[in-house]
Amino acid sequence: MTTSGDNTPPVGALSRRGPLRAGERVQLTDERGKLHTITLLAGESFHTQHGVLHHDELIGGPEGVVIENTHGFEYQVLRPLISDYVLSMPRGATVIYPKDTGQIIHMADIFPGARVVEAGVGSGGLSISLLRAVGDQGKVFSYERRADFAEIAEANVTTFFGERHPAFSITLGDVQEEALKQHEPGTIDRVVLDMLAPWEVVDTVAELLAPGGVWLNYVATATQLSRIHEAIREDGRFTAAEASETMLRGWHLDGLAVRPQHRMVGHTGFLVMARRLALGQEGLELRRRIKTFKQEDMDIWTPEAPERWRAEQHGHREPTTKRAKKAVRQSKAQAERSQDSINAARTAKNSQQDDENSE
């Protein structure tokens, strides 16, 4: 049996199908393979040294077409995929690469309806993938320390889905201080952290996660990897800790000239995953030798001094305030256009249904 509610498309579906609409972002690929991402606006034009392409020629038409500009220069027109969007959207902080995002979704087993806590939102790239995975019935509770990053992330998420996602919320502040104020112990299915010192929130994660829940960390350096793994192992409330990194190498395909590309996306970060044990349970002792370290070795490898764990000490550079403010303006403008596009599409659809009913 179907109901009227069943005809309501999931959030984000309208912006991924149907004719191109004003306010949407499209990807233009020219004859040389160069990509241009633009926002369609009525009456506007896309100018290059090769000529002018009027947006009105695209609005209302399908994607997947090849169109000529005023000088006969051709472009292939497609909606950006999620990976294209994430790498081209306005950003304050560096985004997690799509190759790592895909691994995070699978390693953390993000399922429809899941309740996920995310900390270190940055520009919202991972948030978009998490929201797609949990769906309209799930929840992604995000925590971000910087207000400008939170604004950028919220606007980028809204732009991608065409409207505010009902499963998404952002809280300003440290996750270890704010999360337990909002969630009852054991009510969170998954925790995903992208932060400098995730070992500082072991107690918070242990309180939040339900038994069997997954805790996944994204860290950039080997020292962070070692320290978070030692913290997980020593805590005793988690099990099945494992770490990995993902390399991505494309291939050049041109007739019989088939070979690896000269450039590849190498190391971007490590993923460290662990599972929450039930209350009062201890992890199973595996029958293998575990290398132990002397305390002086650990002090060298994982220094306690707070100044040693500054972001710049690990190759991370904080974006300037000027750059962040520019990204805030751009992301909010794009979000507003995207919302207007979806609202116009819904109004047109409702009007069509009213006309059909009146007949």
Side-chain angles (χ1 to χ4, degrees):
M1 184 178 75
T2 60
T3 64
S4 58
D6 295 329
N7 295 324
T8 303
V11 173
L14 283 177
S15 62
R16 310 306 299 166
R17 60 164 67 114
L20 298 174
R21 295 178 288 270
E24 278 195 284
R25 290 168 66 80
V26 296
Q27 185 172 275
L28 307 177
T29 306
D30 65 24
E31 300 169 4
R32 300 173 183 176
K34 186 176 181 180
L35 301 180
H36 309 269
T37 302
I38 65 173
T39 300
L40 294 178
L41 297 172
E44 294 292 325
S45 301
F46 172 62
H47 295 258
T48 70
Q49 68 270 30
H50 301 293
V52 179
L53 179 65
H54 300 291
H55 292 196
D56 291 337
E57 296 181 34
L58 301 177
I59 296 173
E63 61 176 320
V65 299
V66 175
I67 192 168
E68 292 185 354
N69 67 9
T70 54
H71 289 181
F73 199 74
E74 292 184 328
Y75 295 94
Q76 180 177 274
V77 183
L78 291 166
R79 287 185 173 96
L81 299 176
I82 185 171
S83 55
D84 301 318
Y85 174 76
V86 167
L87 294 177
S88 66
M89 67 187 187
R91 65 183 70 172
T94 302
V95 297
I96 295 179
Y97 269 71
K99 72 178 180 68
D100 295 315
T101 300
Q103 287 292 96
I104 289 170
I105 297 300
H106 283 269
M107 284 183 64
D109 188 32
I110 309 297
F111 58 90
R115 293 168 57 87
V116 181
V117 163
E118 174 198 19
V121 179
S123 300
L126 178 59
S127 304
I128 291 171
S129 293
L130 291 173
L131 288 165
R132 266 197 166 182
V134 304
D136 298 0
Q137 303 304 313
K139 288 292 183 183
V140 175
F141 304 101
S142 300
Y143 295 85
E144 173 57 54
R145 298 174 63 181
R146 288 186 53 164
D148 49 0
F149 285 5
E151 288 185 87
I152 295 168
E154 189 164 15
N156 283 335
V157 169
T158 300
T159 298
F160 182 81
F161 289 102
E163 57 188 304
R164 291 181 61 88
H165 200 291
F168 188 50
S169 67
I170 297 183
T171 300
L172 284 177
D174 293 323
V175 64
Q176 59 265 46
E177 296 177 2
E178 300 296 333
L180 290 176
K181 298 177 183 177
Q182 301 185 33
H183 311 293
E184 293 294 325
T187 59
I188 298 299
D189 300 304
R190 306 290 186 259
V191 174
V192 181
L193 304 181
D194 174 17
M195 53 193 300
L196 179 65
W199 49 87
E200 295 178 351
V201 299
V202 170
D203 289 334
T204 301
V205 174
E207 284 285 319
L208 292 173
L209 275 179
V214 178
W215 177 18
L216 192 139
N217 300 277
Y218 177 86
V219 293
T221 68
T223 48
Q224 291 170 290
L225 170 65
S226 175
R227 183 155 186 180
I228 182 57
H229 180 262
E230 288 301 307
I232 290 171
R233 187 171 66 86
E234 292 175 3
D235 182 76
R237 289 173 287 184
F238 301 90
T239 188
E242 59 182 64
S244 66
E245 66 172 331
T246 304
M247 306 290 188
L248 179 65
R249 182 175 70 177
W251 279 67
H252 172 83
L253 302 172
D254 186 8
L256 296 179
V258 180
R259 56 171 174 74
Q261 291 180 355
H262 296 306
R263 299 181 63 184
M264 67 176 286
V265 180
H267 173 76
T268 49
F270 298 102
L271 301 181
V272 189
M273 187 268 285
R275 304 287 300 276
R276 177 69 165 99
L277 292 167
L279 292 176
Q281 295 295 307
E282 295 183 1
L284 184 66
E285 288 290 339
L286 301 181
R287 293 185 177 181
R288 65 184 184 188
R289 291 189 62 185
I290 298 178
K291 175 65 176 177
T292 59
F293 296 91
K294 296 179 180 179
Q295 187 58 46
E296 54 265 32
D297 294 329
M298 290 301 300
D299 291 341
I300 294 173
W301 188 245
T302 58
E304 292 291 344
E307 64 272 11
R308 296 294 297 276
W309 292 105
R310 296 196 305 270
E312 59 269 21
Q313 293 291 335
H314 293 266
H316 178 71
R317 299 291 181 267
E318 282 290 316
T320 63
T321 302
K322 181 178 180 180
R323 176 184 174 184
K325 286 182 177 179
K326 180 180 179 182
V328 168
R329 292 194 301 271
Q330 291 177 334
S331 60
K332 284 187 172 182
Q334 290 178 4
E336 185 177 348
R337 293 165 184 164
S338 184
Q339 287 178 296
D340 290 343
S341 171
I342 293 298
N343 290 336
R346 285 196 173 127
T347 300
K349 184 177 180 180
N350 293 336
S351 177
Q352 182 181 2
Q353 290 177 343
D354 291 342
D355 291 342
E356 292 174 353
N357 294 334
S358 63
E359 294 176 0

